[in-house]
Amino acid sequence: MRILGIETSCDETSVAVVEDGMTVASNVIASSQAAFKKLAGVIPEEAARRQVECMIPVLRQAMDEAGPAPVDAIAVTRGPGLLGSLLVGTVTARAASQLWNLPLIGVHHTLGHLSSVWLNQASDPPAFPCLCLSASGGHTDLWYRTSHTQGRLIGRTRDDAAGEAFDKGASLLGLPYPGGPAIGKASETGSATAHAFPLPLRGDASCDFSFSGLKTSLKYLLRDLGFDPLAPGNALPDLAASFQEAICHHLLDRLLHAIELYPDAREVHIVGGVSANTRLRVLARECCAKHGLTLRVPAAGAYCTDNAAMIASAGFFLWKELGEKAFAPFDTVASLPLEESMPAA
Ligand code: KG4
Ligand code: ZN
């Protein structure tokens, strides 16, 4: 089965063709991120305008790169995200579905991220039950999953998302958007133990997250230090490394708690933009090795951040597990809790 995936939930325009949910035949991503670098964020109307311009060229390139074999269905992100951006994708997908007489599958953006560890893993596919930490700029969730369509949301952020903490921290440190890669790079020459941050929700019985306190701690630390982002030889590397360490430790502390609560989980998956973080991967690998668990992160950096291959993959598994119910009509919506459409595990 070849699925054409379309993803336009934020500032990316991405189209992919994926075979049997795992083998990526093409995955084209056009990003307008460079345009937003100086702005510490995305301007929704501007992002959607750029997506209208590049949608058709990206679609054509993805179809060309995938080769002439026909596709069997179209999967598109129906939400959550920026409404104008989402509509560029769903309107295109509906038109293509009518034109080519193909079934259309509406996919939740986060379900796409959860599927991203299946991409290019056909020789050693992930196994259920698993714990999945999905950490991006818009959400930070912990899932206990028993299939592609059954799972339980066991933890979520109570305020900022992990990626948002990186983005806001980067902005305070005078670094560009997106903040995760910028903080990762600045940390390379810094000491992770130079500054201590409090561990949020220490000992909390839930598997929830909270990042806004870390951002506030950084703000007051910078004020107390008289930090000047433009001063040569400033303490940027140490501050970036310590802040990154605090975010990673909080993510792992909550993950460890989930590992204790769900001892039948066989694997740990970390997905979403933040899963690209090198330090997080090192710490997660140590933690999983200690507990005899397999750790999976997306097989390529392009599968961590928003991409259409993960949407095509999720669409395939929805079709496989739900049959024609996967083709049910859907709305395009900016806010869409995944747990409402996922039967409890
Ligand atoms: O999944 P994604 O592309 O978009 C959303 O669905 O939000 O995630 C984007 C987020 C941004 O907040 C960005 O700062 C963060 O992922 N990010 C990273 C890294 N690369 C992207 N965070 C930490 N380290 C990275 N290397
Ligand atoms: Zn995302």
Side-chain angles (χ1 to χ4, degrees):
M1 287 292 179
R2 276 160 74 93
I3 312 279
L4 178 81
I6 299 179
E7 152 67 37
T8 59
S9 65
C10 189
D11 56 343
E12 271 92 4
T13 306
S14 180
V15 180
V17 175
V18 177
E19 288 162 15
D20 294 336
M22 289 189 259
T23 307
V24 181
S26 67
N27 184 39
V28 180
I29 306 169
S31 170
S32 51
Q33 223 160 56
F36 300 120
K37 254 197 159 79
K38 288 197 210 91
L39 302 170
V42 173
I43 301 171
E45 290 79 5
E46 186 60 25
R49 245 195 307 274
R50 286 165 191 264
Q51 284 161 322
V52 169
E53 284 166 14
C54 60
M55 186 75 238
I56 298 301
V58 168
L59 175 64
R60 190 166 289 149
Q61 189 184 335
M63 301 280 284
D64 286 350
E65 286 179 15
V71 299
D72 301 286
I74 299 175
V76 62
T77 306
R78 57 179 292 239
L82 304 172
L83 190 58
S85 295
L86 286 164
L87 282 166
V88 177
T90 53
V91 166
T92 306
R94 287 185 203 286
S97 148
Q98 296 238 328
L99 190 67
W100 298 326
N101 196 23
L102 291 173
L104 183 60
I105 306 167
V107 175
H108 192 288
H109 179 77
T110 305
L111 191 65
H113 278 299
L114 299 185
S115 294
S116 63
V117 283
W118 269 261
L119 294 171
N120 283 346
Q121 295 302 310
S123 57
D124 175 27
F128 296 108
C130 64
L131 288 166
C132 184
L133 168 63
S134 180
S136 76
H139 66 270
T140 300
D141 296 332
L142 245 176
W143 286 87
Y144 170 77
R145 306 185 78 202
T146 53
S147 77
H148 287 280
T149 47
Q150 287 196 305
R152 200 179 316 156
L153 181 64
I154 60 170
R156 68 186 334 164
T157 183
R158 296 182 184 175
D159 40 60
D160 292 349
E164 200 177 350
F166 273 109
D167 295 338
K168 288 180 175 172
S171 174
L172 292 170
L173 290 165
L175 294 168
Y177 173 84
I183 287 188
K185 179 131 193 43
S187 300
E188 280 168 12
T189 52
S191 160
T193 53
H195 303 280
F197 285 85
L199 182 67
L201 299 177
R202 181 192 290 273
D204 193 275
S206 77
C207 294
D208 284 351
F209 303 89
S210 170
F211 292 96
S212 66
L214 288 179
K215 173 199 64 192
T216 307
S217 299
L218 178 65
K219 187 172 157 191
Y220 289 127
L221 176 63
L222 297 182
R223 184 198 62 186
D224 295 347
L225 293 173
F227 175 74
D228 175 359
L230 298 176
N234 64 23
L236 174 66
D238 283 352
L239 287 161
S242 303
F243 185 61
Q244 170 176 265
E245 195 74 0
I247 293 174
C248 294
H249 275 169
H250 178 37
L251 287 169
L252 284 173
D253 176 61
R254 306 285 71 207
L255 182 61
L256 192 58
H257 187 43
I259 290 171
E260 286 159 4
L261 292 176
Y262 294 86
D264 65 329
R266 297 160 63 187
E267 301 192 345
V268 169
H269 302 172
I270 304 184
V271 301
V274 177
S275 70
N277 189 271
T278 310
R279 182 66 184 148
L280 178 63
R281 289 179 174 205
V282 169
L283 293 171
R285 200 148 276 136
E286 282 171 15
C287 169
C288 287
K290 213 182 280 174
H291 290 82
L293 289 162
T294 301
L295 173 71
R296 305 222 184 221
V297 291
Y303 306 152
C304 296
T305 44
D306 292 347
N307 68 90
M310 68 183 193
I311 301 301
S313 172
F316 169 81
F317 289 117
L318 283 174
W319 188 1
K320 195 173 162 197
E321 293 190 5
L322 301 179
E324 297 207 345
K325 276 195 200 145
F327 307 150
F330 60 85
D331 294 330
T332 306
V333 275
S335 167
L336 184 65
L338 177 57
E339 59 277 23
E340 282 173 18
S341 59
M342 181 93 90

